[in-house]
């Protein structure tokens, strides 16, 4: 989700990076990984030796003198790379819950084997990042910025190592985000011809066909993507997130909010007006920091929504892990939801 939305219910304050003198020393030791001018967009990253180059979705040619080994990534990006067999040294973004268990955005990533630089939005320990001697920083982008890289410390962070971002919003649909993440993994040494990767991609494609079949077999089911916060209910448009955009392409009929925020992602509704849009199914944001069904029972207007009364509220993986393995499951679950939904809105 765009920062303006996430910060409204997960911001716990920025943990400032201290130790300026020590940071300068580490910066000097980590120099030499500056972005090169590029090679016309060709990806030489799969080479066994020599320079590594990748053109990211911000249009930047990102280069290092050799294939990166000390990779630091946004948690969801790290989880996707893990599914392709690419390890990272550090992560930033939701990684563990309050009880120390893996966050939903960590996927299959072993959170005990990575350095956590920040666990919430706007939190990034720059000094600890520098100590990892990073070769490369990887994340997603929704709106042309580096997702979960704090604006306040962005300049310090981006001086330490080249950074690359994969688009997951705007005009990007889910298959494209998956393709680009696979391209990135391949450049870092992943074998896209490995049986588990090939099988996962085939499963994803089959799951997409199942969703399309379900929408044809049960037409007219209205779906609303929503997210609950303490004072607001966010109704999302399906047109600016890679997952919802693809669901719509597969035939899912969304309720589209009328008055979107400035960035064009959602409409923020007071709980008094949470019933503005009627839907048969609600896809509810499953991220840590958002209100889940048990907590939402305390909101009277939530309980009156037709989809809630019908028991047709299902989790939405609002920030998918962009590997075919994880996204195949999302589509399979969605197909079952559409297939079994009753029209109540």
């Amino acid at each position: 989700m765009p920062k303006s939305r996430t910060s409204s219910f997960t911001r716990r304050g920025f943990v400032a990076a201290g130790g300026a003198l020590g940071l300068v020393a580490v910066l000097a030791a980590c120099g030499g990984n500056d972005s090169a001018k590029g090679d016309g967009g060709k990806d030489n990253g799969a080479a066994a030796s020599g320079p590594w180059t990748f053109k990211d979705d911000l249009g930047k040619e990102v280069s290092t003198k050799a294939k990166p080994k000390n990779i630091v990534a946004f948690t969801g990006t790290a989880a996707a790379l893990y599914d392709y067999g690419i390890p990272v040294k550090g992560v930033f973004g939701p990684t563990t819950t309050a009880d120390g268990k893996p966050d939903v955005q960590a996927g299959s990533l072993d959170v005990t084997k990575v350095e956590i630089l920040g666990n919430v939005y706007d939190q990034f320990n720059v000094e600890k990042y520098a100590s990892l001697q990073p070769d490369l920083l990887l994340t997603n982008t929704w709106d042309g910025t580096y997702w979960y890289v704090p604006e306040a410390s962005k300049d310090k962070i981006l001086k330490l190592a080249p950074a690359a971002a994969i688009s997951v919003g705007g005009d990007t649909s889910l298959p494209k985000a998956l393709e680009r993440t696979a391209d990135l993994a391949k450049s870092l040494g992943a074998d896209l011809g490995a049986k588990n990767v090939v099988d996962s991609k085939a499963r994803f494609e089959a799951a997409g066909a199942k969703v399309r079949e379900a929408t044809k077999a049960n037409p007219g089911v209205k779906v609303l993507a929503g997210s609950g916060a303490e004072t607001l209910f966010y109704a999302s448009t399906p047109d600016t997130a890679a997952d919802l955009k693809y669901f719509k392409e597969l035939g899912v009929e969304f309720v589209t909010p009328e008055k979107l925020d400035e960035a064009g992602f959602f409409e923020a509704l007071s709980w008094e007006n949470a019933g503005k849009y009627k839907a048969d199914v609600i896809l509810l944001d499953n991220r840590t920091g958002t209100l889940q069904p048990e907590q939402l029972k305390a909101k009277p207007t939530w309980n009156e929504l037709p989809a809630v009364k019908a028991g047709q509220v299902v989790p939405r993986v609002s920030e998918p892990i962009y590997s075919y393995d994880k996204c195949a499951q999302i589509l399979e679950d969605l197909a079952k939801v559409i297939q079994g939904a009753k029209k109540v809105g």
Side-chain angles (χ1 to χ4, degrees):
M1 289 294 109
K3 293 177 183 177
S4 59
R5 175 174 179 178
T6 306
S7 62
S8 66
F9 48 77
T10 64
R11 181 187 295 267
R12 298 179 189 173
F14 172 67
V15 177
L21 293 177
L23 179 58
V24 170
V26 180
L27 273 166
C30 295
N33 279 338
D34 296 335
S35 294
K37 297 297 183 181
D39 61 353
K42 294 181 180 178
D43 179 11
N44 297 327
S49 61
W52 174 87
T53 303
F54 182 82
K55 187 170 184 178
D56 78 350
D57 290 347
L58 297 177
K60 296 182 179 180
E61 292 281 358
V62 186
S63 294
T64 58
K65 292 179 179 178
K67 185 186 297 182
K69 294 182 179 179
N70 292 349
I71 301 170
V72 172
F74 168 64
T75 302
T77 306
L81 292 176
Y82 181 89
D83 287 348
Y84 287 107
I86 304 299
V88 303
K89 289 192 71 174
V91 297
F92 54 96
T95 308
T96 58
T97 56
D99 57 5
K101 295 180 180 178
D103 188 272
V104 292
Q105 294 189 56
S108 301
L109 188 68
D110 187 342
V111 298
T112 67
K113 293 183 178 180
V114 292
E115 193 73 47
I116 301 174
L117 305 178
N119 201 43
V120 297
Y121 185 74
D122 245 4
Q123 189 182 83
F124 194 117
N125 190 318
V126 184
E127 191 170 31
K128 187 182 289 187
Y129 175 57
S131 73
L132 295 177
Q133 300 185 31
D135 297 321
L136 180 66
L137 182 144
L138 299 172
T139 187
N140 294 328
T141 182
W142 289 84
D143 55 5
T145 60
Y146 295 102
W147 186 228
Y148 265 79
V149 175
E151 186 64 30
S153 52
K154 177 185 67 176
D155 292 343
K156 290 180 180 179
I157 293 167
L158 297 180
K159 284 179 181 178
L160 282 163
I166 298 297
S167 177
V168 298
D171 294 332
T172 303
S173 185
L174 185 57
K176 185 62 176 180
L178 285 166
E179 178 187 343
R180 291 293 289 143
T181 303
D183 289 343
L184 176 60
K186 180 181 179 181
S187 79
L188 295 168
D191 179 8
L192 299 190
K195 186 178 186 304
N196 67 310
V197 176
V198 173
D199 288 351
S200 293
K201 186 175 182 180
R203 180 186 168 200
F204 171 81
E205 291 170 349
K210 289 179 182 177
V211 174
R212 195 180 295 279
E213 291 167 5
T215 61
K216 290 180 178 178
N218 193 9
V221 173
K222 301 296 183 182
V223 177
L224 174 66
S227 185
E230 191 57 44
T231 60
L232 296 170
F233 180 67
Y234 296 91
S236 294
T237 174
D239 299 323
T240 51
D243 61 329
L244 300 182
K245 194 177 192 70
Y246 187 50
F247 300 166
K248 187 175 178 180
E249 291 169 4
L250 293 173
V252 176
E253 297 183 40
F254 281 97
V255 175
T256 302
E258 301 166 353
K259 298 180 180 180
L260 300 179
D261 67 304
E262 185 177 347
F265 287 94
F266 57 84
E267 180 176 352
L269 301 168
S270 67
W271 278 111
E272 289 77 11
N273 295 314
K276 178 178 179 179
Y277 301 109
K278 301 295 188 272
D280 303 305
V281 173
I282 294 176
L283 297 182
L284 185 67
D285 189 346
N286 76 333
R287 290 177 297 173
T288 303
T290 65
L291 300 184
Q292 299 307 304
E294 275 301 312
Q295 299 163 305
L296 288 170
K297 286 180 179 179
K299 308 292 185 184
T301 49
W302 169 260
N303 298 317
E304 293 303 312
L305 297 178
V308 176
K309 285 184 174 182
Q312 295 185 157
V313 177
V314 295
R316 175 196 169 201
V317 182
S318 299
E319 291 191 54
I321 294 166
Y322 290 95
S323 70
Y324 290 106
D325 177 67
K326 297 299 186 291
C327 288
Q329 185 66 57
I330 291 173
L331 291 182
E332 288 169 354
D333 292 343
L334 179 63
K336 292 177 182 177
V337 168
I338 299 299
Q339 188 173 20
K342 296 179 181 178
K343 301 176 187 64
V344 297

